[in-house]
Structures are given as structure tokens and as C-alpha cells.
């Protein structure tokens, strides 16, 4: 089968969420407007996530996986998946089911005109501390990146694969995807999507890694922006 769209799902210690995630993904494949494959990336989980992923993918068409030998971080999981994607567009979704794969259908109509389309969780279903820390972190990133996204960290995005594969590897990659597309002279758009409360498992984030870590990543982004190389070939002979 020739696929048109790859959904990437980075996973780290989400064994409690995975059974329902698998159901949601299979249900979405039945109604997806594009021929879609799923690529699950286990980021060195210490629970049973990797085993569950391998067992499920080996029994279900349209599902594949990458298993890291140890924990490298979400940015690495996304970059590895970008590099292993062959479809013209890709998207990503967190495994915690606070966003649903069905909502890719809200983003897909815009991917022709735009090079990245990201969700905007306007009505967040998180704890007060998580909402505030995310708002502060997003504000700090906007000061550095000037991408003016309301919800840069929304874990539901679609990108054209050519743009995704031109993004250089660095920690915290996922926080800068809109800015990295703008560096390539791409066009970005936000679309409001629903947000759902976490039903199982535990959040991996707190104020420290939602603010201090992203703040340090912003300095790395500024350095990278100054050093970023881009070019366009006008002509070539064969």
C-alpha cells in the first residue's frame, strides 16, 4: 500500500494508556481521509510499553515501531521518526490520550496551503499548576522565537515531511517545531482542538522541566538560528 500520511507517537512509560491508545488509533484508521500508517517510538521505557508496542504492531497492519536502547528524550524520538518517514506529510500525537487522533481531521484540510498545522488546546483539561507552567513556558518561547503561537507545545501537529526532515537535532526539539518551519520560510497555522483529561498513567512534566528546561533550550535555539544554513538551488544539470 502507498501511504499518504504517517502518525508518529512517541512513548515513554505509558503502559496504562497504550491499550486505549491502540483502540483510538485503529478506529481512526477506519475513517482517516488519507491512507495512514502509524509509527510508535518507544523512548527507552522502563515499564512494559516496549513489549506492548511490539506485540501490537506485529499483529496489526499499518502499524510499525522503533524501540530505543535507552531513554534519549522526546526530541530524539521525534527526530528518529522524522528520519524514518517516507510519506509526504506526517503528524505526531502524544500517547497520553489528552489529544485524540480523530482531531487530525481538523488539521488536515489546511496542510496544502500551510507547511505546519498545529492544534491549539484553548480549553485545557490540566491541573492549575500545569496550565500556569505551560502558559509561562509558552510566553518565554515566544519572546525568543517570535512565532506567536498560542500553544507551541500542543502534542497534535501536522508537518510536510520535507520541512520536518530539515530540522536539525537538538534537545527540546518538540517545543520549537513552528519556529523551525518559519526558519525555512514555511507557513504555519493554529487550529483549535479539544483537550481531554488524562485517564491513566502520570504526567512526566512539572514546573522545573516545563520552565527551566525550556528556558535553557531557548538559548540553544537562538544560537542555532544564527548558525542555521538554508539554500535553494535555482538550476542544475542532470
Amino acid at each position: 500500500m502507498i501511504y499518504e500520511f504517517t502518525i508518529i507517537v512517541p512513548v515513554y512509560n505509558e503502559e496504562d494508556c497504550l491499550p486505549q491508545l491502540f483502540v483510538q488509533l485503529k478506529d481512526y484508521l477506519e475513517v482517516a481521509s488519507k491512507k495512514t500508517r502509524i509509527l510508535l517510538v518507544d523512548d527507552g521505557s522502563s515499564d512494559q510499553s516496549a513489549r506492548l508496542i511490539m506485540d501490537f504492531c506485529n499483529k496489526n497492519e499499518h502499524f510499525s515501531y522503533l524501540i530505543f536502547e535507552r531513554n534519549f528524550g522526546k526530541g530524539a524520538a521525534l527526530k528518529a521518526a522524522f528520519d524514518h518517514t517516507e510519506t509526504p506529510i506526517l503528524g505526531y500525537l502524544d500517547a497520553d490520550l489528552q489529544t485524540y487522533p480523530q482531531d487530525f481531521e481538523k488539521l488536515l484540510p489546511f496542510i496544502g496551503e500551510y507547511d505546519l498545522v498545529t492544534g491549539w488546546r484553548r480549553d485545557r483539561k490540566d491541573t492549575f499548576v500545569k496550565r500556569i507552567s505551560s502558559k509561562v513556558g509558552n510566553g518565554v518561547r515566544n519572546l525568543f522565537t517570535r512565532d506567536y503561537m498560542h500553544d507551541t507545545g500542543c502534542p497534535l501537529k501536522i508537518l510536510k515531511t520535507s520541512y520536518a526532515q530539515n530540522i536539525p537535532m537538538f534537545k527540546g526539539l518538540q517545543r520549537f517545531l513552528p519556529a523551525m518551519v518559519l526558519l525555512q520560510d514555511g507557513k504555519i497555522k493554529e487550529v483549535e482542538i479539544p483537550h481531554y483529561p488524562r485517564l491513566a498513567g502520570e504526567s512526566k512534566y512539572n514546573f522545573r522541566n516545563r520552565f527551566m528546561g525550556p528556558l535553557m533550550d531557548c538559548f540553544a535555539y537562538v544560537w542555532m538560528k544564527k548558525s542555521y544554513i538554508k539554500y535553494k538551488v535555482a538550476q542544475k544539470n542532470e
Side-chain angles (χ1 to χ4, degrees):
M1 177 181 291
I2 299 176
Y3 295 104
E4 303 170 285
F5 180 39
T6 298
I7 295 176
I8 295 162
V9 188
V11 178
Y12 179 62
N13 289 347
E14 292 287 5
E15 63 180 0
D16 293 333
C17 290
L18 286 179
Q20 183 58 33
L21 173 69
F22 295 153
V23 171
Q24 291 267 358
L25 290 169
K26 287 192 72 173
D27 287 348
Y28 176 64
L29 290 179
E30 295 295 321
V31 299
S33 58
K34 294 186 178 294
K35 294 178 181 178
T36 302
R37 66 183 287 261
I38 312 295
L39 176 57
L40 296 127
V41 185
D42 182 79
D43 182 23
S45 294
S46 58
D47 63 4
Q48 295 299 308
S49 293
R51 181 186 61 80
L52 291 172
I53 288 169
M54 290 187 288
D55 287 349
F56 181 82
C57 291
N58 288 333
K59 296 174 183 176
N60 288 272
E61 190 180 8
H62 315 305
F63 286 80
S64 58
Y65 60 80
L66 299 172
I67 307 295
F68 281 4
E69 63 180 9
R70 61 176 177 84
N71 178 239
F72 288 97
K74 188 175 181 180
L78 289 175
K79 179 60 175 172
F82 292 170
D83 291 343
H84 284 80
T85 295
E86 298 179 353
T87 54
I89 59 174
L90 59 83
Y92 92 82
L93 172 81
D94 273 359
D96 61 12
L97 289 178
Q98 289 197 260
T99 50
Y100 286 0
Q102 287 80 357
D103 289 323
F104 279 119
E105 294 299 312
K106 300 180 186 297
L107 276 55
L108 281 167
F110 300 99
I111 197 61
E113 179 181 357
Y114 295 91
D115 305 299
L116 176 145
V117 185
T118 181
W120 175 13
R121 301 164 293 177
R122 192 167 191 170
D123 182 18
R124 296 287 293 268
K125 303 299 182 183
D126 288 321
T127 64
F128 175 77
V129 171
K130 193 172 180 181
R131 292 198 307 271
I132 291 299
S133 59
S134 292
K135 189 170 184 178
V136 171
N138 198 66
V140 170
R141 282 191 296 273
N142 271 329
L143 287 175
F144 284 84
T145 65
R146 305 292 182 182
D147 61 20
Y148 302 110
M149 295 283 99
H150 294 92
D151 190 9
T152 301
C154 179
L156 191 83
K157 288 180 171 64
I158 295 176
L159 299 85
K160 290 178 180 173
T161 302
S162 58
Y163 283 81
Q165 292 179 342
N166 278 335
I167 296 174
M169 174 70 177
F170 63 96
K171 290 184 178 179
L173 165 75
Q174 70 278 6
R175 303 183 183 106
F176 297 92
L177 294 179
M180 295 304 301
V181 170
L182 289 177
L183 275 184
Q184 301 176 59
D185 299 322
K187 295 174 63 178
I188 62 177
K189 182 177 179 61
E190 277 185 312
V191 176
E192 288 188 35
I193 61 166
H195 190 232
Y196 306 94
R198 178 183 269 273
L199 299 179
E202 296 180 355
S203 174
K204 311 302 185 297
Y205 298 100
N206 50 46
F207 186 80
R208 179 181 175 84
N209 60 25
R210 279 183 174 272
F211 179 71
M212 294 306 296
L215 178 61
M216 298 306 295
D217 292 339
C218 284
F219 291 108
Y221 167 79
V222 171
W223 174 87
M224 184 279 309
K225 182 178 179 180
K226 290 180 179 179
S227 306
Y228 186 71
I229 296 173
K230 62 181 177 182
Y231 64 87
K232 292 183 179 180
V233 175
Q235 298 181 39
K236 67 175 182 178
N237 66 336
E238 295 298 334

